Amino acid sequence: MAKVVRNARVTYNNVPTGNLELGKHLVYDDSATINLDNVPLNGGILIKAVALSVDPYMRLMMLSAEDTALNAKGMFLNAELSIFGYGIAAVLRSEVSNIRPGQYIHVDELEHAEYSVVTSMTGVRVVDRNTRLPWSVYAGAAGMTGQTAYFGWKEYAPVKKGSTLYVSTGGGAVGSMVIQLAKKDGLRVIASAGSREKVEFMKEVGADVAFNYKETPIREVLTKEGPIDIYWDNVGGDTLDAALENMSVGGTVIICGQIAGYDDDGVPAHRLMKMVYGDIHMVGFGFNNLEYKYLDEFYATIPPKLENGEFKFREEVYYSLEKVPEALFRILKGKNEGKCVVVLSDY
Ligand SMILES: NC(=O)c1ccc[n+]([C@@H]2O[C@H](COP(=O)([O-])OP(=O)(O)OC[C@H]3O[C@@H](n4cnc5c(N)ncnc54)[C@H](OP(=O)(O)O)[C@@H]3O)[C@@H](O)[C@H]2O)c1
């Protein structure tokens, strides 16, 4: 008898006009089913979601249908369609020659559904798990967020022993990896985050100066501990201004993210003229544009270091698809204490 099972999903049902609200904009729906034996693959693969990475950029994808029509990359505003993000899935059936059932794949646009049929192999790659780390880690520190830190650091950080880096959201998935890469390269690191636990973690991974920006003004710390030679920006707005005010001449700003403006419009940065007066270089990057250059090197080096403890990471793992909206909500409120991953399958 054909195997028909529940196929729960998370859908995007309402465009947020301000902050994300739980139960309104992203909705869990367990009404659909799927026939695992007979669902047509149309030349593609049938996969079971294993570990979904929940990431800040997902809020930026929550656009109106009109925005999306104007070529902005958005989620589909449609109660019938799952939202999507980075993640790991197990292959159940395949009509693709180089992908076999039983393999695990990393998918750039993985549906937030228990099962899905994927017909385009763009952004799909088989992951060779070369450690005993759980798949949740391959969706985080050994996945997209670890890669973001690694690729951006390798490509854009003008590494010089003894120079000073400041990184914001230093207690988070990307930021904590940046601290560790910088320390390995001999830099002095100043790092900020918004909780006592994150400050402890930033110290544990080697930050020379770790502080809670909600308790101590960023400018006060940077004036005392700067000037800074490299600023790794995960926040934007006034945090970027504070860093620009404290850059050394010829310094580099690496724009990785601007999370202060994702859930509302945020406060724009005002100090860009400092780039002129201070010969500051500023570069932004998307990690996926650097995959071709560093991905193999990343998989060969970083997961083993995460496994043996040379590099440390923190996770906030949820075990139900229903938790995706809450995980994103916590990220945008700064309440997550580690990389948010929703784990769906036993593995
Ligand atoms: N360029 C790329 O390809 C790429 C790829 C992945 C991620 N990113 C960016 O990297 C940054 C970090 O991502 P992540 O996955 O590592 O997230 P994360 O640090 O694990 O979580 C996000 C953190 O941002 C901080 N935050 C949230 N709202 C804020 C606000 N309004 N003002 C200041 N801080 C706020 C909070 O930490 P605090 O406790 O510090 O407040 C929150 O925990 C994000 O900007 C993200 O968009 C870029």
Side-chain angles (χ1 to χ4, degrees):
M1 202 171 70
K3 196 171 175 198
V4 177
V5 297
R6 182 190 74 178
N7 192 15
R9 63 186 63 238
V10 177
T11 66
Y12 172 31
N13 289 23
N14 266 296
V15 183
T17 47
N19 297 149
L20 183 75
E21 288 173 47
L22 285 178
K24 181 172 177 189
H25 303 114
L26 296 179
V27 175
Y28 174 76
D29 168 18
D30 64 359
S31 61
T33 57
I34 184 169
N35 185 325
L36 297 181
D37 293 331
N38 294 337
V39 63
L41 302 190
N42 300 319
I45 53 179
L46 172 65
I47 60 174
K48 178 174 180 161
V50 170
L52 305 172
S53 173
V54 182
D55 292 292
Y57 85 98
M58 291 166 76
R59 172 65 184 83
L60 285 178
M61 307 274 286
M62 295 173 68
L63 301 168
S64 67
E66 195 182 37
D67 288 333
T68 311
L70 289 171
N71 281 334
K73 176 94 173 137
M75 301 276 191
F76 305 108
L77 187 66
N78 186 329
E80 311 278 300
L81 296 175
S82 320
I83 63 163
F84 50 84
Y86 294 91
I88 300 288
V91 181
L92 302 184
R93 291 169 47 208
S94 175
E95 290 177 354
V96 175
S97 59
N98 57 349
I99 298 185
R100 296 186 305 279
Q103 286 183 319
Y104 287 81
I105 52 175
H106 186 277
V107 185
D108 287 358
E109 291 188 359
L110 177 57
E111 276 192 50
H112 282 217
E114 290 171 299
Y115 301 92
S116 46
V117 172
V118 179
T119 50
S120 163
M121 295 306 121
T122 306
V124 171
R125 65 181 127 78
V126 175
V127 180
D128 170 23
R129 183 160 56 160
N130 56 349
T131 69
R132 277 165 300 176
L133 292 167
W135 284 115
S136 61
V137 184
Y138 281 83
M144 189 276 281
T145 48
Q147 288 159 20
T148 298
Y150 189 86
F151 300 174
W153 185 256
K154 285 258 161 185
E155 184 73 9
Y156 296 115
V159 166
K160 224 163 82 193
K161 243 190 166 87
S163 63
T164 298
L165 163 81
Y166 167 47
V167 53
S168 49
T169 79
V174 173
S176 60
M177 185 64 89
V178 169
I179 295 175
Q180 296 175 80
L181 293 165
K183 288 310 295 176
K184 283 248 173 303
D185 281 342
L187 277 80
R188 180 169 164 270
V189 175
I190 305 170
S192 61
S195 76
R196 190 160 38 90
E197 292 76 10
K198 287 181 195 169
V199 169
E200 284 313 308
F201 182 54
M202 294 190 298
K203 285 184 190 161
E204 193 187 321
V205 299
D208 300 278
V209 179
F211 69 102
N212 182 341
Y213 69 92
K214 292 178 180 165
E215 291 173 352
T216 313
I218 297 173
R219 285 175 177 79
E220 188 179 309
V221 177
L222 297 185
T223 307
K224 178 164 171 256
E225 304 289 346
I228 51 185
D229 304 303
I230 306 173
Y231 170 48
W232 182 289
D233 188 27
N234 287 324
V235 171
D238 192 54
T239 306
L240 174 55
D241 274 348
L244 282 167
E245 289 164 21
N246 288 282
M247 295 296 295
S248 55
V249 173
T252 298
V253 176
I254 301 170
I255 306 283
C256 175
Q258 305 257 291
I259 196 166
Y262 293 2
D263 206 19
D264 52 36
D265 286 341
V267 182
H270 297 289
R271 300 278 183 259
L272 295 180
M273 269 308 281
K274 182 70 199 293
M275 294 176 65
V276 176
Y277 304 135
D279 280 332
I280 309 293
H281 304 254
M282 190 180 280
V283 61
F285 76 99
F287 89 99
N288 36 349
N289 296 328
L290 294 168
E291 265 180 10
Y292 76 98
K293 207 165 168 182
Y294 299 111
L295 189 65
D296 291 346
E297 177 186 313
F298 174 87
Y299 275 131
T301 56
I302 297 300
K305 288 187 198 300
L306 293 166
E307 186 181 36
N308 70 21
E310 207 178 313
F311 278 93
K312 296 184 173 33
F313 60 93
R314 287 173 92 200
E315 293 181 308
E316 187 166 295
V317 180
Y318 298 88
Y319 294 94
S320 160
L321 191 58
E322 215 167 342
K323 292 287 188 184
V324 167
E326 184 183 331
L328 182 58
F329 182 81
R330 283 174 60 78
I331 290 170
L332 297 170
K333 294 284 176 228
K335 291 189 185 306
N336 63 312
E337 283 293 336
K339 170 74 195 107
C340 281
V341 182
V342 174
V343 168
L344 297 186
S345 304
D346 41 338
Y347 51 88

